[in-house]
Amino acid sequence: MDLASLIYLGVTFGLFVIFALIVIRTYSKKRKDTGEIAKFRMLDDD
Amino acid sequence: MEKVDYNYAIVRSFVTWSIIWGVVAVLVGVIVSLQMVDPDLNFPPYLTFGRLRPIHTNAGIYGWGVGSIFATFLFIVQRLCKVPLWSNGLAKFQLWFFNATIIASAVTLLLGYTTSKEYHEMEWPIDVMIVILWVAFAINIIMTILKRKDEQMYISLWYMMASLVGVAILFLVNSAAEPVSLFKSYSAYAGTNDANVHWWFGHNAVAMALTAPPLAMFYYFLPKSTGVPIYSHRLSIVAFWSLIFMYLWTGAHHLLWTPVPDWIQTLAMGFSVMLIAPSWGSVFNGYLSMNGQWHQMRENYLVKFLILGITFYGLQTLQGPMQAVRTFSAFIHYTDWVPAHIHMGTMGWVSMIAFGSIYYLTPRIYGKQLYSIPLANLHFWLILIGQLIWSISLWVAGVLQAGMWNAMNPDGSLTYTFMETMVEMYPYWWARAIGGVIYFIGVLVFIYNLVKTVGKGDEESSEQALAEGRA
């Protein structure tokens, strides 16, 4: 495997890790209420 | 509650102009569909299929599609952030520069100036105009978001920002070219690299201009129309990020069985299939938001547009990945199946959402009740039937075409000549033209309804308008 392929693989893996962290953070129990509050606020009389 | 001085005048202007360009797009679409069945309707050099077809696509995508995105984004951003636009002057500049850009595009395409890159046909001076236009739009939206009153951003704002950033990157990279005169340039890339960059742009223009913005609109206008929140905001966030991570890798599925390296094709194929997940994340979120509210499909004309729109999105995002699989692509690529797929997306998904959004907006930005709900329902059925006739006839045509192209005699020679396959297409092309005419009549009903609404004398409160929207 040459350097370019390794970098390519590394970037792909890095993106996957970032995505996994976003999913974990979004679905963490601590953030359950704050994660859903926007859908109620958008219905407020504006 | 503090009263916010929202700028609805600019929304009204963008709604008007997007509809004007939408009429041009559909009308020219009907004309080119008739040119396919009667070549005598080509009037060289200007009014030929080759010059009118890009006017149809560009007026549709950039005039109607992006125009309605401008209108709805400028409305949504103010309402979600609960602040007025950052700059009304910049929005006004954006409106007139938008129209100047569309007119310049139409005129130069009619005159035959083209880069020959599909969906990016305009020559470099117009590319510069598009960049200025998009930067003005992006600055206004982002600055308005920055001064918002709520810390938590609703999902529509995420999709809006993705669209602003995504379109900018795609357009700048694909625009790289060396001008040799005022109306001629050559791409900065060569050969397969050029094709790869071009379809990276082409497919992701679909993502960032025709997927992210309608999703922003859907997530805003569906709960506003039903009066109940979306099923899960967290699901929408995860679907958003997975869409962003996956979409940008899929462009090369337009280049299956070409000299582009196999691994790029395989990568695009894999990510295209994976893209079903985020797409259907939004579809399920939409359907689950209707739990206990399905009666509104019968009672609320806005919901009909929005739910049929997301349904076509679901169908589109199943059919698309299927087409991105090598074996299936080998059969249907270059046939009439492909424009049928595209038009289910543009006429079914994007336009249904845009029509529903504009119906929601109109009573609020004009302070008047919609002139006629029965006419809105008639509009709905005409565009649905028109689009289905159009799409189904060309799916059948595509399968027939592919079958005939692939048919071989025992000695290995082709069973049919190309002309024989063409002759078989005529009934389907007539059906497409008829479907287009029905769709166009539906658009005229829509315009009549809006014109009568705007011309009505009775002003009413936004509460009354809201009640009317649910009627």
Side-chain angles (χ1 to χ4, degrees):
Chain A
M1 213 177 226
D2 60 12
L3 183 64
S5 303
L6 281 172
I7 292 171
Y8 194 93
L9 192 66
V11 169
T12 308
F13 184 72
L15 288 172
F16 177 77
V17 170
I18 292 169
F19 176 64
L21 291 173
I22 290 171
V23 174
I24 292 165
R25 185 177 187 272
T26 304
Y27 275 99
S28 77
K29 281 183 183 167
K30 273 195 293 187
R31 296 183 170 274
K32 188 175 179 186
D33 290 338
T34 50
E36 295 291 348
I37 197 166
K39 76 178 185 188
F40 300 109
R41 292 296 302 271
M42 68 86 66
L43 283 172
D44 288 351
D45 184 16
D46 50 0
Chain B
M1 180 182 277
E2 182 193 347
K3 193 172 183 308
V4 182
D5 190 19
Y6 295 125
N7 181 350
Y8 289 152
I10 194 67
V11 182
R12 287 196 288 266
S13 298
F14 268 115
V15 165
T16 304
W17 281 104
S18 68
I19 293 172
I20 288 170
W21 296 122
V23 170
V24 172
V26 180
L27 182 61
V28 176
V30 171
I31 292 170
V32 294
S33 72
L34 290 168
Q35 287 179 328
M36 291 287 280
V37 286
D38 186 358
D40 288 340
L41 293 174
N42 284 271
F43 300 102
Y46 304 113
L47 302 179
T48 55
F49 181 88
R51 294 199 184 179
L52 288 178
R53 195 262 182 183
I55 290 180
H56 162 63
T57 54
N58 285 295
I61 297 169
Y62 303 114
W64 160 238
V66 172
S68 59
I69 289 164
F70 286 160
T72 51
F73 277 24
L74 290 169
F75 178 86
I76 293 171
V77 76
Q78 296 183 82
R79 301 292 287 238
L80 280 180
C81 297
K82 298 183 173 63
V83 291
L85 274 183
W86 180 68
S87 169
N88 291 331
L90 195 58
K92 207 163 193 176
F93 164 78
Q94 182 197 336
L95 171 73
W96 294 112
F97 207 68
F98 163 69
N99 285 313
T101 307
I102 298 290
I103 291 167
S105 303
V107 170
T108 52
L109 288 171
L110 269 183
L111 292 173
Y113 296 111
T114 173
T115 62
S116 77
K117 288 184 168 187
E118 196 174 17
Y119 307 130
H120 197 156
E121 288 91 348
M122 283 77 83
E123 271 295 353
W124 70 271
I126 296 170
D127 282 355
V128 174
M129 293 175 77
I130 293 170
V131 170
I132 294 169
L133 176 67
W134 199 258
V135 168
F137 175 51
I139 288 174
N140 218 357
I141 295 288
I142 291 169
M143 293 307 288
T144 306
I145 291 174
L146 285 178
K147 61 175 192 167
R148 71 188 185 280
K149 291 192 173 158
D150 282 347
E151 188 193 344
Q152 288 288 329
M153 290 203 306
Y154 185 62
I155 183 63
S156 296
L157 295 176
W158 286 100
Y159 276 111
M160 287 163 66
M161 289 197 298
S163 173
L164 295 175
V165 175
V167 168
I169 293 171
L170 294 161
F171 194 81
L172 284 175
V173 173
N174 196 49
S175 296
E178 186 179 339
V180 291
S181 70
L182 186 59
F183 289 111
K184 187 62 203 163
S185 62
Y186 290 99
S187 173
Y189 316 102
T192 53
N193 282 340
D194 189 37
N196 202 19
V197 170
H198 174 214
W199 281 110
W200 171 77
F201 163 84
H203 194 75
N204 289 297
V206 173
M208 295 301 159
L210 301 179
T211 299
L215 282 171
M217 290 146 76
F218 175 76
Y219 276 119
Y220 181 82
F221 291 111
L222 182 72
K224 284 288 190 182
S225 301
T226 59
V228 294
I230 58 165
Y231 169 71
S232 169
H233 194 255
R234 289 185 299 164
L235 174 60
S236 72
I237 294 287
V238 169
F240 165 81
W241 280 110
S242 49
L243 187 111
I244 298 302
F245 275 98
M246 288 178 199
Y247 227 124
L248 294 171
W249 305 76
T250 59
H253 69 217
H254 287 260
L255 298 166
L256 299 179
W257 306 102
T258 69
V260 167
D262 260 4
W263 71 268
I264 293 180
Q265 297 180 32
T266 306
L267 188 79
M269 189 172 81
F271 272 90
S272 300
V273 173
M274 284 155 63
L275 203 52
I276 293 172
S279 307
W280 273 79
S282 291
V283 175
F284 279 124
N285 217 347
Y287 286 159
L288 291 169
S289 302
M290 293 296 291
N291 273 347
Q293 300 296 326
W294 284 105
H295 59 92
Q296 293 205 38
M297 280 291 280
R298 213 172 42 242
E299 300 158 357
N300 184 340
Y301 68 99
L302 296 172
V303 174
K304 266 193 282 205
F305 281 94
L306 296 169
I307 289 297
L308 253 291
I310 200 75
T311 300
F312 281 120
Y313 177 59
L315 294 173
Q316 186 77 356
T317 51
L318 275 182
Q319 195 183 51
M322 192 171 74
Q323 291 169 204
V325 174
R326 267 202 191 86
T327 44
F328 194 77
S329 174
F331 189 65
I332 55 92
H333 205 183
Y334 308 115
T335 72
D336 281 352
W337 175 287
V338 178
H341 170 70
I342 293 164
H343 283 76
M344 179 168 67
T346 51
M347 296 158 86
W349 155 232
V350 180
S351 293
M352 276 278 185
I353 298 292
F355 286 132
S357 304
I358 291 173
Y359 275 128
Y360 176 91
L361 288 179
T362 302
R364 288 155 182 85
I365 58 179
Y366 285 98
K368 296 173 180 182
Q369 286 194 3
L370 190 70
Y371 171 70
S372 169
I373 291 174
L375 279 181
N377 282 318
L378 176 64
H379 167 218
F380 169 82
W381 286 109
L382 285 171
I383 63 167
L384 177 63
I385 291 167
Q387 185 251 310
L388 287 176
I389 291 174
W390 205 107
S391 295
I392 292 170
S393 61
L394 282 203
W395 284 324
V396 175
V399 172
L400 179 66
Q401 212 170 17
M404 291 180 80
W405 287 350
N406 285 288
M408 284 191 182
N409 298 315
D411 64 358
S413 61
L414 292 173
T415 306
Y416 303 101
T417 64
F418 185 71
M419 285 308 291
E420 283 172 320
T421 67
M422 288 273 284
V423 170
E424 289 298 317
M425 292 299 107
Y426 274 73
Y428 304 100
W429 288 348
W430 273 114
R432 165 172 62 183
I434 292 165
V437 170
I438 294 171
Y439 197 96
F440 186 61
I441 293 169
V443 173
L444 293 181
V445 170
F446 167 66
I447 293 168
Y448 176 77
N449 206 359
L450 293 195
V451 168
K452 295 294 278 184
T453 303
V454 174
K456 277 166 60 172
D458 59 318
E459 296 280 332
E460 63 162 19
S461 70
S462 58
E463 285 77 14
Q464 282 174 301
L466 183 65
E468 184 274 338
R470 288 183 195 159

